[in-house]
Amino acid sequence: MTTTANVPTANAGTTVAALALTLALLLATPAHAVSESVLRALRVDGSRTAVPIADILSGGPPPQGIPALGFRGLTGVAGPSPDPRLVTQDEAAAWLGEREPVILVRVGGEARLYPLQVLTWHEIANDTLGGVPIAVSFCPLCNSALAHDRRVPATADQLAAMRVENHTVRATPMPADLAAAYALQIGGAVPEFAVDVTFGVSGLLYFSNMIMIDDTTFTLWSQLIGEGLVGELVGGRLVRYPAQIVGFGEARSAEPTALVLSRDTGFTRDYGRNPYVGYDEIGSPAFLFQGPSDGRLTPKARVVTLETPRALAYPFADLAAAGVVHDEVDGEALLLLWAPGTTSAIGGALIANAADVGAVGVFRPVVDGARLTFVADGAGGFRDVETGSTWDVTGRAGSGPLAGRMLDAVAHDNTLWFAWAAFRPDTEVRRPGGD
């Protein structure tokens, strides 16, 4: 697929040098634990914590210094930010390259594309898709792209504790769709209520991963694992939806009518340029990472991770070599597909011109109760042996008897090993074709 996008070009060595200097200064930033005064300003209850407060570090920018889109704000800390604006794919093609990474999210029968050239500078987009309130997030420091439900589960006691000092709490009885997802993903007793929140960028890090803060419960949330770290809902879990990093061209083919997050955000940023030049280099250090190391893989190795609920990690390089991986977890069939055509968002100075690292999709290879066997079909496509239908890396059949059908996607992440292993040290590493 040929690109017609009008993407920026690096026509001066000073641009690359300046960006490299920015990253070098970031990496040289001394680590400072979050102070009690910052927690008080954020209205976070520091007495409720799942992790040592001393391990939560200031990342440099203040709360909302990296401005999440659609955040309602925190009184006395950060004002509200503009809602995400959307454009058509043809409009986006004027500035978005075909191989540039976007986060493809499908929820409630609707699809949307979130370019990483925008989310690199905002990290969170509070949105509504298919009637479901979601937060789509990207943490450049660990290359983690996720979609969480913004209806935060809460018990009656937790809800009562929030409703003090005329504080606005948008709560409803737990909706059936959210209750079903919670029971499937998290298990245990389903909380009675759901609280509608928006998420902002706190400016804090834990294991070099962005910590989100919500505008209602004032809980600090880990972006990578969607768990409450400090605050009213400490230990709480957010419901996830599948979110896939894939090239814009591939996403356009799979979802031709999906709208795209605009870079007309209300902020002036150098969209298309990467402020983290060279961050994904295997030997480069992770920013303010003070967690445990796991020598099973190189710290900056890309991995595809999922919880089934067992924590699993598949090295990206192994998936790229195999193309198609059939696996089984607790008796359930699992399919992983890799295809070229997606650049790195944290590699080269210009995202459009960065190295092609490819994209991975994770699915249940079952249609109408029948298990399918997949093989690579050239040029990044796939074919199932049983019907001869052709498929793309997003799990959609393009031709054959199953044309138009979609595989059930499995929520996963495309992240860096050092961060995932710190959060989930009991992860089982599965190496297709290797040891």
Side-chain angles (χ1 to χ4, degrees):
M1 194 173 288
T2 305
T3 179
T4 58
N6 182 21
V7 296
T9 56
N11 53 16
T14 54
T15 299
V16 178
L19 289 167
L21 178 60
T22 299
L23 179 60
L25 291 173
L26 280 173
L27 293 174
T29 301
H32 296 291
V34 62
S35 66
E36 292 185 5
S37 62
V38 169
L39 292 180
R40 284 196 299 270
L42 294 173
R43 298 177 66 178
V44 174
D45 183 353
S47 69
R48 299 170 178 263
T49 179
V51 300
I53 294 293
D55 290 346
I56 295 177
L57 305 179
S58 171
Q64 280 291 97
I66 298 174
L69 300 175
F71 184 55
R72 296 188 190 115
L74 290 173
T75 302
V77 177
S81 60
D83 289 336
R85 299 168 185 170
L86 305 174
V87 296
T88 66
Q89 294 180 17
D90 286 343
E91 290 172 316
W95 46 266
L96 188 58
E98 296 260 307
R99 297 188 308 139
E100 278 198 62
V102 300
I103 305 174
L104 169 60
V105 183
R106 294 165 170 147
V107 176
E110 189 176 358
R112 190 156 295 162
L113 314 181
Y114 299 85
L116 293 192
Q117 68 153 270
V118 178
L119 283 183
T120 293
W121 297 92
H122 295 283
E123 299 193 358
I124 304 172
N126 294 283
D127 203 359
T128 299
L129 182 62
V132 178
I134 62 171
V136 179
S137 60
F138 176 66
C139 177
L141 298 180
C142 50
N143 197 63
S144 180
L146 299 166
H148 291 106
D149 200 305
R150 291 193 289 106
R151 298 170 294 179
V152 175
T155 65
D157 288 343
Q158 290 170 330
L159 188 61
M162 297 176 208
R163 286 179 164 155
V164 296
E165 300 176 1
N166 297 318
H167 178 50
T168 299
V169 180
R170 302 169 180 85
T172 64
M174 176 67 70
D177 66 316
L178 185 62
Y182 186 96
L184 181 65
Q185 294 182 23
I186 300 167
V190 177
E192 308 98 290
F193 295 94
V195 181
D196 183 281
V197 307
T198 60
F199 292 97
V201 180
S202 70
L204 305 174
L205 301 172
Y206 181 64
F207 290 156
S208 197
N209 176 240
M210 169 182 46
I211 293 179
M212 309 184 295
I213 184 167
D214 75 74
D215 64 341
T216 303
T217 78
F218 311 117
T219 300
L220 297 179
W221 301 87
S222 162
Q223 182 261 356
L224 186 70
I225 59 173
E227 292 187 6
L229 300 180
V230 185
E232 183 66 37
L233 297 185
V234 61
R237 296 280 299 276
L238 302 176
V239 165
R240 283 179 59 182
Y241 298 105
Q244 181 183 18
I245 298 179
V246 66
F248 178 49
E250 187 78 60
R252 292 188 75 180
S253 297
E255 297 289 352
T257 63
L259 295 176
V260 183
L261 175 65
S262 174
R263 63 179 185 177
D264 178 15
T265 61
F267 298 92
T268 301
R269 297 292 187 272
D270 206 357
Y271 298 117
R273 298 188 185 275
N274 168 27
Y276 304 91
V277 176
Y279 189 73
D280 64 355
E281 292 181 5
I282 289 294
S284 64
F287 177 55
L288 294 184
F289 179 70
Q290 296 185 346
S293 61
D294 188 323
R296 287 180 290 170
L297 296 173
T298 305
K300 287 286 187 76
R302 291 176 185 264
V303 288
V304 170
T305 62
L306 55 152
E307 294 185 271
T308 62
R310 275 197 292 163
L312 302 175
Y314 297 82
F316 218 77
D318 293 351
L319 297 176
V324 177
V325 173
H326 284 277
D327 203 356
E328 192 168 292
V329 181
D330 298 329
E332 293 284 337
L334 195 68
L335 171 70
L336 298 95
L337 304 176
W338 178 91
T342 304
T343 62
S344 170
I346 53 173
L350 300 176
I351 295 176
N353 298 340
D356 185 344
V357 295
V360 170
V362 184
F363 310 97
R364 299 294 182 193
V366 178
V367 176
D368 295 333
R371 183 168 173 172
L372 301 179
T373 306
F374 286 78
V375 295
D377 198 30
F382 309 92
R383 174 175 52 85
D384 74 74
V385 174
E386 287 75 12
T387 75
S389 300
T390 62
W391 302 76
D392 64 26
V393 75
T394 77
R396 181 184 292 275
S399 66
L402 298 179
R405 300 294 297 273
M406 292 184 57
L407 298 174
D408 287 340
V410 175
H412 67 280
D413 197 7
N414 171 356
T415 189
L416 302 179
W417 173 244
F418 75 87
W420 178 261
F423 278 102
R424 296 290 188 253
D426 59 344
T427 293
E428 177 186 348
V429 177
R430 296 196 172 187
R431 308 203 63 167
D435 298 323

